């Protein structure tokens, strides 16, 4: 469900970005995109993925940075906030999504991430320089978590995965590469696709904070 939600999230973000994120909309008339946005949004909500919805919100808010007059930026901001408001309102009408958000806010339930993150951080502290290895680290984390149905477990976070699997030495190239991608996305905001590359970069990065998407083609 989480992986499907991230794919749907990027598809919707691409659709919104090509319509509203460019200096000149690629899809015209604009109203033809709304049915597709709503259909993808409904499917996204049905996955019950909190991370996918938050990543969509982060990417959508980045679209506010598109170039234009102050009036145009204000209208874009209002429109995107309204769009996000609609999706979050509809999400809260879904029993699955509402229950999962309530569990997070009231009980601190993060689908065991509240256990995974501190355990993975302790593993990094045990071997900070070179890490445990990309495969061995998942077995070690699985053993430490002690879940009977899961022999292996990844840290569900891109930064933690880099640090645990390859330590500081292996993580530096990864983090530098992400930095180069961020700079490139920022520079292309005046290009033909406008702010969309930056919005998609932000969305993928946020998605990687609650789940490891490093080995997915869309990443």
């Amino acid at each position: 469900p989480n992986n499907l939600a991230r794919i749907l999230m990027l598809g919707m973000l691409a659709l919104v970005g090509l319509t509203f994120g460019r200096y000149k909309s690629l899809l015209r008339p604009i109203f033809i995109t709304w049915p597709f946005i709503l259909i993808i949004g409904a499917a996204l909500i049905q996955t019950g993925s909190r991370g996918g919805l938050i990543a969509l919100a982060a990417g959508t808010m980045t679209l506010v940075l598109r170039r234009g007059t102050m009036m145009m930026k204000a209208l874009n901001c209002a429109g995107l906030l309204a769009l996000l408001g609609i999706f979050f309102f509809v999400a809260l009408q879904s029993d699955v999504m509402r229950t999962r958000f309530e569990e997070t806010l009231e009980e601190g339930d993060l689908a065991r991430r509240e256990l995974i993150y501190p355990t993975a951080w302790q593993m990094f502290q045990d071997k900070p320089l070179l890490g445990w290895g990309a495969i061995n680290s998942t077995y070690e984390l699985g053993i430490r978590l002690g879940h009977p149905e899961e022999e292996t477990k990844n840290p569900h976070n891109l930064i933690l995965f880099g640090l645990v699997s390859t330590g500081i030495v292996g993580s530096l190239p990864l983090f530098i590469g992400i930095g180069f991608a961020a700079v490139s996305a920022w520079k292309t905001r005046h290009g033909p696709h406008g702010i969309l590359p930056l919005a998609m970069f932000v969305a993928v990065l946020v998605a990687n904070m609650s789940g490891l998407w490093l080995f997915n083609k869309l990443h």
Side-chain angles (χ1 to χ4, degrees), residues 4-213:
L4 176 59
R6 295 180 190 120
I7 294 171
L8 291 169
M9 173 271 297
L10 277 181
M12 183 191 294
L13 194 58
L15 189 60
V16 173
L18 291 172
T19 306
F20 304 102
R22 293 163 53 100
Y23 185 69
K24 188 175 182 180
S25 175
L26 186 66
L27 302 175
R28 293 191 174 188
I30 289 177
F31 69 83
I32 67 172
T33 63
W34 282 104
F36 297 102
I37 291 174
L38 295 175
I39 290 171
I40 297 174
L44 173 59
I45 290 170
Q46 288 177 6
T47 65
S49 173
R50 294 162 294 187
L53 196 60
I54 292 171
L56 174 64
T60 302
M61 291 310 301
T62 307
L63 294 173
V64 175
L65 300 175
R66 73 179 287 251
R67 62 178 179 170
T69 64
M70 288 301 297
M71 178 61 71
M72 186 180 296
K73 289 182 178 180
L75 290 174
N76 283 336
C77 185
L80 293 172
L81 283 174
L83 177 64
L84 288 177
I86 291 171
F87 278 118
F88 273 95
F89 174 78
V90 174
L92 292 178
Q93 308 311 305
S94 165
D95 291 337
V96 174
M97 189 71 80
R98 185 177 65 254
T99 300
R100 299 198 74 191
F101 273 112
E102 287 174 352
E103 289 173 349
T104 299
L105 296 174
E106 296 175 5
E107 304 172 17
D109 182 2
L110 299 173
R112 297 182 65 226
R113 289 176 180 83
E114 66 275 13
L115 301 176
I116 296 171
Y117 293 163
T119 305
W121 180 251
Q122 182 59 54
M123 286 177 58
F124 163 66
Q125 291 178 314
D126 292 342
K127 293 186 177 182
L129 195 60
L130 297 176
W132 293 78
I135 302 301
N136 288 339
S137 63
T138 63
Y139 280 94
E140 178 65 23
L141 183 55
I143 291 171
R144 294 194 183 196
L145 290 171
H147 196 282
E149 298 179 0
E150 293 178 322
E151 186 178 8
T152 64
K153 198 73 174 175
N154 72 66
H156 282 60
N157 180 280
L158 177 62
I159 296 174
L160 279 176
F161 177 77
L163 293 174
V164 169
S165 61
T166 61
I168 295 173
V169 173
S171 296
L172 279 177
L174 172 64
F175 298 155
I176 291 171
I178 292 173
F180 280 136
V183 172
S184 296
W186 176 257
K187 288 181 178 179
T188 59
R189 69 191 189 282
H190 298 307
H193 293 300
I195 201 69
L196 178 57
L198 182 61
M200 299 186 84
F201 169 83
V202 169
V204 169
L205 193 61
V206 170
N208 269 290
M209 294 301 101
S210 62
L212 184 63
W213 222 30

